[in-house]
């Protein structure tokens, strides 16, 4: 399937609300639905594009992930990237059209025959977020029994269809004019009987295993994001599929930087002399050292933006920015000479307060007006 922009596929803007998304999908789905265009392969592929675009954009979490990471978020070719599995068509289509089109789910692939998902939490550093990293993890899973291959039967034997319910899983009991349906008491609704159970799994068809995985964590991933590995979760039992394995990302706090979207923030302390006269300082970066020129008369709280020194976007090759907040540090542990120099400086500043300290001068004038208003 192409990597055409999902918003373009539905013909909507990136600011479209859920109602507009649903309306656009309904209009296009009616036009390109295979039932109305039998044998038209072009329309069939177009309908698949429309269906996929709607599934992503109609889901708040998936839409947010797509807006930030693009098609990389849903790349099924590499199962360690962000991926998703399409819902049954009737789930999506029925929400829009109600009972116009109806389809029955195949019991073989119903949710009842899919194993449970498994969540694994992993912590990474901000440096690893910047560069991307591969991690090896070990997970306890419920998997298909290695001896009976999930049948639950002893080697050389097989399951037999339950004679009580004839493989339906239910029995019907007549009581007067009524017929009551009950779960088959012989097979407990499983439709089959195991006469000789596997000595390892005791007929369950499953066993607990510890499996190792190598997880590729892409550059730019966010705290709280999940990486989904399709079909690597718990086994659901005989004739079922495995659930999915979710890797939940926790980004450790950094001693210098804070992240907001794809920008990095940090506080940079400078001394009074550099703040007043200007000078060159070394600014931290997760890529390399940056020599930055502080202009004269820089005030504390001033924020400087350094382009393209933030975190890389997954959707394109652009980078966020590095924002440095300047903190003018008051000197401590002064010796006699330093104290004398600052004392003399303070005298000269006081004499020229309007020129040298305009904010202080403005504050004092407003303070004077305030006290005069109280008289």
């Amino acid at each position: 399937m192409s990597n055409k922009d999902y918003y373009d596929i539905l013909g909507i803007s990136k600011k479209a609300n859920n109602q507009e998304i649903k309306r656009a999908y309904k209009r296009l789905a009616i036009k390109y639905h295979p039932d109305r265009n039998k044998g038209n392969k072009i329309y069939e592929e177009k309908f698949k594009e429309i269906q996929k675009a709607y599934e992503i954009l109609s889901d708040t979490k998936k839409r947010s992930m797509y807006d930030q990471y693009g098609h990389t978020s849903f790349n099924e070719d590499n199962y360690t990237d962000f991926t998703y599995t399409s819902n049954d068509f009737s789930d999506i289509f029925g929400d829009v059209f109600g009972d116009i089109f109806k389809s029955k789910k195949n019991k073989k692939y119903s949710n009842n025959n899919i194993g449970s998902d498994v969540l694994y939490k992993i912590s990474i550093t901000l440096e690893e977020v910047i560069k991307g990293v591969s991690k090896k993890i070990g997970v306890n899973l419920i998997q298909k029994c290695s001896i009976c291959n999930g049948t639950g039967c002893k080697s050389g034997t097989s399951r037999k269809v339950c004679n009580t319910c004839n493989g339906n899983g239910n029995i019907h009991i007549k009581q007067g004019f009524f017929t009551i349906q009950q779960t088959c008491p012989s097979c407990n609704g499983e439709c089959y009987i195991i006469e000789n159970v596997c000595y390892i799994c005791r007929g369950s068809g499953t066993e607990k295993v510890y499996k190792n995985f190598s997880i590729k964590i892409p550059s730019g991933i966010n705290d709280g994001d999940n990486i989904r590995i399709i079909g690597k979760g718990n086994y659901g039992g005989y004739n079922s599929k495995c659930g999915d394995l979710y890797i939940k990302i926790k980004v450790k706090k950094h001693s210098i930087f804070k992240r907001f979207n794809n920008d990095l923030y940090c506080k940079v302390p400078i001394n009074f002399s550099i703040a007043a006269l200007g000078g060159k300082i070394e600014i931290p970066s997760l890529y390399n050292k940056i020599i930055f020129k502080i202009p004269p008369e820089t005030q504390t709280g001033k924020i400087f933006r350094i382009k393209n020194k933030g975190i890389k976007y997954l959707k394109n090759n652009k980078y966020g920015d590095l924002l440095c907040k300047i903190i003018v540090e008051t000197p401590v542990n002064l010796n006699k000479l330093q104290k004398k120099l600052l004392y003399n400086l303070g005298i000269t500043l006081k004499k020229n307060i309007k020129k040298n300290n305009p904010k202080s001068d403005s504050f004092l004038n407003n303070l004077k007006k305030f006290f005069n208003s109280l008289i």
Side-chain angles (χ1 to χ4, degrees):
M1 193 168 289
S2 68
N3 283 346
K4 186 177 179 182
D5 186 86
Y6 290 146
Y7 292 99
D8 291 341
I9 290 174
L10 296 183
I12 56 177
S13 72
K14 293 186 177 181
K15 296 182 179 179
N17 57 35
N18 288 339
Q19 187 176 1
E20 291 170 331
I21 294 172
K22 185 177 290 188
R23 192 183 300 120
Y25 171 64
K26 179 179 179 180
R27 174 175 52 81
L28 293 171
I30 291 175
K31 180 179 178 181
Y32 292 101
H33 192 272
D35 288 351
R36 300 188 61 185
N37 304 278
K38 293 183 178 180
N40 192 324
K41 295 295 182 181
I42 297 177
Y43 273 39
E44 184 178 337
E45 291 301 316
K46 180 68 175 177
F47 180 78
K48 289 179 181 179
E49 275 190 346
I50 295 166
Q51 182 186 355
K52 185 173 181 180
Y54 175 73
E55 181 172 350
I56 300 303
L57 299 184
S58 63
D59 186 292
T60 303
K61 292 183 179 179
K62 290 180 181 178
R63 182 179 180 181
S64 176
M65 191 179 293
Y66 173 72
D67 288 341
Q68 187 167 2
Y69 300 111
H71 288 280
T72 309
S73 309
F74 309 98
N75 179 12
E76 294 185 4
D77 296 330
N78 182 354
Y79 68 76
T80 59
D81 285 337
F82 293 94
T83 57
Y84 80 105
T85 303
S86 297
N87 293 326
D88 185 88
F89 174 70
S90 62
D91 292 339
I92 301 172
F93 212 55
D95 180 55
V96 180
F97 296 97
D99 296 326
I100 296 177
F101 299 99
K102 290 184 179 180
S103 63
K104 295 182 179 179
K105 292 185 178 180
N106 190 331
K107 183 179 179 181
K108 182 179 179 181
Y109 298 107
S110 68
N111 288 335
N112 293 330
N113 287 317
I114 299 178
S116 60
D117 295 332
V118 176
L119 179 66
Y120 183 91
K121 298 180 181 180
I122 188 171
S123 296
I124 61 174
T125 65
L126 188 58
E127 287 83 358
E128 290 172 329
V129 171
I130 295 292
K131 300 175 183 178
V133 66
S134 291
K135 292 279 188 179
K136 292 183 178 180
I137 63 171
V139 186
N140 289 310
L141 297 172
I142 298 173
Q143 296 289 277
K144 185 184 294 185
C145 177
S146 58
I147 301 299
C148 67
N149 198 32
T151 64
C153 302
K154 184 179 179 180
S155 178
T157 65
S158 60
R159 296 174 176 231
K160 293 184 179 180
V161 175
C162 177
N163 291 326
T164 303
C165 64
N166 293 319
N168 292 317
N170 299 305
I171 59 172
H172 297 84
I173 301 174
K174 289 186 177 181
Q175 291 186 355
F177 293 101
F178 300 98
T179 300
I180 300 174
Q181 179 177 291
Q182 293 182 344
T183 301
C184 177
S186 298
C187 66
N188 293 319
E190 294 294 329
C191 306
Y192 51 80
I193 297 292
I194 300 177
E195 294 180 343
N196 299 289
V197 299
C198 171
Y199 71 93
I200 292 295
C201 66
R202 302 293 183 183
S204 68
T206 63
E207 62 177 332
K208 293 181 179 180
V209 298
Y210 184 80
K211 295 190 71 174
N212 295 310
F213 295 90
S214 180
I215 307 300
K216 182 181 178 182
I217 301 175
S219 170
I221 196 167
N222 280 291
D223 181 64
D225 281 348
N226 290 318
I227 295 176
R228 181 184 183 187
I229 307 180
I230 296 176
K232 299 299 179 180
N234 287 329
Y235 179 61
Y238 181 68
N239 200 28
S240 72
K241 292 182 177 181
C242 288
D244 300 330
L245 173 60
Y246 286 87
I247 313 299
K248 190 173 186 66
I249 302 299
K250 173 65 177 178
V251 181
K252 298 175 183 178
K253 289 185 178 181
H254 199 273
S255 59
I256 297 176
F257 298 102
K258 287 186 178 180
R259 177 183 180 178
F260 293 92
N261 297 321
N262 284 71
D263 292 333
L264 290 175
Y265 288 74
C266 71
K267 295 180 179 180
V268 181
I270 62 174
N271 63 47
F272 176 78
S273 176
I274 291 178
L277 304 176
K280 293 181 179 180
I281 64 169
E282 186 179 288
I283 288 182
S285 166
L286 289 173
Y287 299 96
N288 47 43
K289 294 180 180 179
I290 300 173
I291 302 301
F292 187 79
K293 186 177 181 180
I294 299 293
E297 302 176 6
T298 295
Q299 303 296 311
T300 190
K302 173 72 176 178
I303 296 177
F304 292 101
R305 180 183 292 270
I306 303 176
K307 292 286 187 179
N308 302 321
K309 292 298 181 181
I311 296 174
K312 183 180 181 294
Y313 288 84
L314 283 180
K315 193 174 182 180
N316 48 50
N317 290 322
K318 294 182 179 179
Y319 285 79
D321 300 331
L322 172 62
L323 291 94
C324 301
K325 184 176 182 179
I326 299 299
I327 305 297
V328 180
E329 185 178 18
T330 301
V332 297
N333 300 320
L334 299 174
N335 58 36
K336 290 183 178 180
L337 177 59
Q338 291 169 328
K339 290 179 180 179
K340 184 176 181 181
L341 290 172
L342 284 177
Y343 178 78
N344 292 332
L345 175 63
I347 293 175
T348 61
L349 291 176
K350 192 173 182 180
K351 291 180 179 179
N352 299 280
I353 187 171
K354 189 173 183 179
K355 181 180 180 181
N356 298 132
N357 298 96
K359 289 184 179 180
S360 296
D361 181 59
S362 176
F363 174 76
L364 291 174
N365 287 332
N366 289 332
L367 191 63
K368 185 177 180 180
K369 292 178 182 178
F370 171 73
F371 285 126
N372 287 336
S373 67
L374 299 177
I375 300 175

